[in-house]
Amino acid sequence: MSRSMLLASVLASTATAFAVSYFVVPPPPSSAPPPPADTGALGQRIAELENRVQSLRDEAAGSLQGGATRREVATLDDAAIERAVHAWLERNRGSGELATRLAEADASKPIETAFDPAATLEALWKLDWETQSQRWSALSKEQRDALVTHLEDLAKANPSDANTQVRLGEAYVQKILAPGTGFMEMAKYGQAADRQFTKALELDDHHWDARFNKAMGLAHQPAVLGGRPKAIEHLEILMAQQEQLSPETRHSGVYLILGNLWAEQGNQEKAREIWERGSRRHPSARDLAERLKN
């Protein structure tokens, strides 16, 4: 459609709308008096209508002109714009202010790096258990799955390495503790973790982490499953084994948990004996001191 035809159609539609709004009115009630035959008033009314039509015509022409301008801008050659911008940057890149702004813009952009499971695990293993759990929880589900998959590959590639088997088991435990893990997943990963700790103990029956994790899993089972006596058995073995080594801070937890389990079994005397034994070996352990106050 040509510009003149478009203008004509715009004006026609505008005039039609104007006529409908001004002339299509309901007839006056039959009881109302007829309009006065005042030709002066009628002429004035016609003049007003002509002025309104002219005003609408001017507005329509102005709107059309604005639309035509926008269409011309929208159809500019993108390649020409890109060449012009590139040329301007080349001319001004050396200026101090522009260079500074470009550098600041680059520095403000986040550096996106691919998730590296191996490097992430290496960093996690240097942290204590509580901090590790916090870091695991902060990861996305996809990242946690990537870590577990990486460890599963390592465990398959190193079937005789007890440390790798334990770390895979601990990764399964972290999956259990992660936000959004459903009950069925917890059961699945709990069984998988227990298998890994058992496998590690078969490779090295003095592996402290493997036996401690195995005992903790049994201790936290529902009582109906009968895991408490087995947990006590593992912890008593671990207590005897660690007393052949130099004391470590983590060792005090064995006495604390073992005493708690005996207390749950109703044997307060045995529980107190274990706590006292641990306190003598770990005099600065506050949890053991608190148990002995009661």
Side-chain angles (χ1 to χ4, degrees):
M1 181 182 292
S2 66
R3 184 173 185 275
S4 59
M5 291 178 63
L6 180 61
L7 176 59
S9 63
V10 169
L11 291 175
S13 61
T14 304
T16 302
F18 175 82
V20 169
S21 63
Y22 272 83
F23 295 106
V24 179
V25 294
S30 57
S31 58
D38 186 345
T39 56
L42 181 59
Q44 184 178 357
R45 179 62 171 167
I46 293 173
E48 290 177 356
L49 292 177
E50 289 177 346
N51 291 335
R52 292 294 299 273
V53 171
Q54 183 59 46
S55 177
L56 288 172
R57 183 182 291 110
D58 294 341
E59 289 179 6
S63 299
L64 182 63
Q65 182 62 38
T69 302
R70 287 191 294 271
R71 285 193 297 275
E72 290 177 1
V73 172
T75 57
L76 286 176
D77 188 347
D78 290 341
I81 295 175
E82 184 177 350
R83 288 194 298 271
V85 171
H86 179 73
W88 185 88
L89 286 173
E90 289 299 318
R91 289 196 304 270
N92 294 276
R93 187 174 293 275
S95 69
E97 182 179 359
L98 178 63
T100 300
R101 290 184 179 181
L102 289 174
E104 290 175 350
D106 289 339
S108 66
K109 295 179 181 178
I111 300 176
E112 297 182 1
T113 56
F115 182 69
D116 187 343
T120 301
L121 287 170
E122 196 65 34
L124 286 172
W125 290 331
K126 297 176 182 178
L127 306 173
D128 60 81
W129 177 259
E130 183 177 355
T131 307
Q132 280 189 44
S133 298
Q134 293 172 353
R135 297 290 176 85
W136 270 85
S137 297
L139 296 173
S140 68
K141 182 181 183 302
E142 291 74 20
Q143 290 173 331
R144 291 193 293 267
D145 290 343
L147 293 182
V148 169
T149 299
H150 179 71
L151 275 169
E152 288 174 339
D153 292 340
L154 286 178
K156 290 178 182 177
N158 301 276
S160 300
D161 185 356
N163 285 330
T164 303
Q165 308 308 317
V166 170
R167 285 174 171 173
L168 176 55
E170 290 177 344
Y172 288 143
V173 173
Q174 294 290 6
K175 285 280 288 183
I176 296 173
L177 300 175
T181 304
F183 177 78
M184 295 303 294
E185 279 189 302
M186 289 182 180
K188 168 189 170 183
Y189 288 118
Q191 294 174 357
D194 183 72
R195 287 195 298 270
Q196 290 306 124
F197 300 140
T198 298
K199 186 180 296 185
L201 286 173
E202 291 171 353
L203 294 169
D204 179 5
D205 67 350
H206 278 64
H207 198 291
W208 193 94
D209 294 288
R211 194 171 296 279
F212 182 79
N213 287 322
K214 175 82 175 180
M216 290 297 291
L218 292 167
H220 286 84
Q221 284 182 357
V224 69
L225 297 179
R228 301 291 198 283
K230 295 179 181 179
I232 289 175
E233 180 181 346
H234 278 289
L235 289 172
E236 288 185 334
I237 293 173
L238 191 56
M239 180 176 63
Q241 289 178 345
Q242 70 185 25
E243 287 181 349
Q244 303 302 313
L245 308 171
S246 299
E248 296 181 24
T249 302
R250 63 178 182 167
H251 292 172
S252 66
V254 173
Y255 302 96
L256 177 67
I257 298 167
L258 180 56
N260 291 347
L261 289 174
W262 277 116
E264 287 180 6
Q265 300 295 314
N267 194 335
Q268 293 293 334
E269 183 178 353
K270 182 69 172 179
R272 188 171 186 84
E273 176 188 330
I274 297 296
W275 293 331
E276 289 177 345
R277 182 172 172 175
S279 187
R280 288 193 296 270
R281 191 167 173 81
H282 301 277
S284 61
R286 295 181 181 179
D287 291 336
L288 290 172
E290 288 295 325
R291 287 290 185 271
L292 293 171
K293 286 181 182 180
N294 300 328

